[in-house]
């Protein structure tokens, strides 16, 4: 049951081509955004689409797959975990970010 404590599964479309960073250790980091859509009818019966954007990071082999096969607009399924972190800007302001660390990805569609 421990594997279910922090698990995220999303199906969506890439908002941009993956940004690839080569680390000093030689491993790769891929960063990209993923849009998920939910469609429902509002009180007036109108169809409404709610789009949520998610920041995704992938390391190692998963990053290499992202670099080779993913591009803006492609539909993918990702599985990973939520990660919260903070950093300080040059101006000394503290910023917070929530990302999904992708452990697995599956390319969908054509």
């Amino acid at each position: 049951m421990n594997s279910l404590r922090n698990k995220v599964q999303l199906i969506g479309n890439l908002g941009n081509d993956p940004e690839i960073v080569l680390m000093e250790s030689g491993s790769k980091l891929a960063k990209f955004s993923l849009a998920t859509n939910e469609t429902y009818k509002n009180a007036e019966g109108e169809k409404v689409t709610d789009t949520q954007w998610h920041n995704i990071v992938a390391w190692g082999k998963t990053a290499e797959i992202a670099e080779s096969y993913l591009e803006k607009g492609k539909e993918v399924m990702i599985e990973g975990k939520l990660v919260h972190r903070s950093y300080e800007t040059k101006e000394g302001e503290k910023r917070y970010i929530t990302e999904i660390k992708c452990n697995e990805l599956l390319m969908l569609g054509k």
Side-chain angles (χ1 to χ4, degrees):
M1 290 298 281
N2 284 338
S3 63
L4 296 177
R5 291 183 189 266
N6 185 0
K7 186 173 187 176
V8 176
Q9 292 180 324
L10 297 172
I11 295 175
N13 296 86
L14 267 71
N16 57 331
D17 290 342
E19 174 190 340
I20 306 300
V21 178
L22 184 59
M23 308 305 282
E24 288 181 13
S25 64
S27 66
K28 289 186 179 179
L29 165 66
K31 300 178 185 180
F32 55 94
S33 61
L34 188 73
T36 56
N37 296 309
E38 179 182 1
T39 305
Y40 61 92
K41 289 189 178 183
N42 64 16
E44 291 78 37
E46 300 167 325
K47 184 178 172 182
V48 177
T49 300
D50 180 32
T51 302
Q52 297 289 317
W53 289 93
H54 312 277
N55 295 317
I56 313 295
V57 294
W59 292 88
K61 288 285 188 191
T62 308
E64 291 174 15
I65 292 168
E67 177 183 30
S68 297
Y69 299 104
L70 298 185
E71 59 187 32
K72 181 178 179 175
K74 291 278 188 177
E75 186 178 33
V76 296
M77 191 280 303
I78 66 111
E79 183 176 294
K81 67 178 187 173
L82 282 175
V83 177
H84 304 284
R85 63 182 176 89
S86 63
Y87 64 95
E88 199 168 295
T89 65
K90 293 178 184 176
E91 295 79 26
E93 298 175 11
K94 193 155 189 164
R95 300 278 171 97
Y96 299 91
I97 189 165
T98 300
E99 300 170 319
I100 298 169
K101 181 181 178 235
C102 177
N103 298 323
E104 293 185 44
L105 64 88
L106 177 65
M107 289 154 284
L108 305 172
K110 298 176 182 176

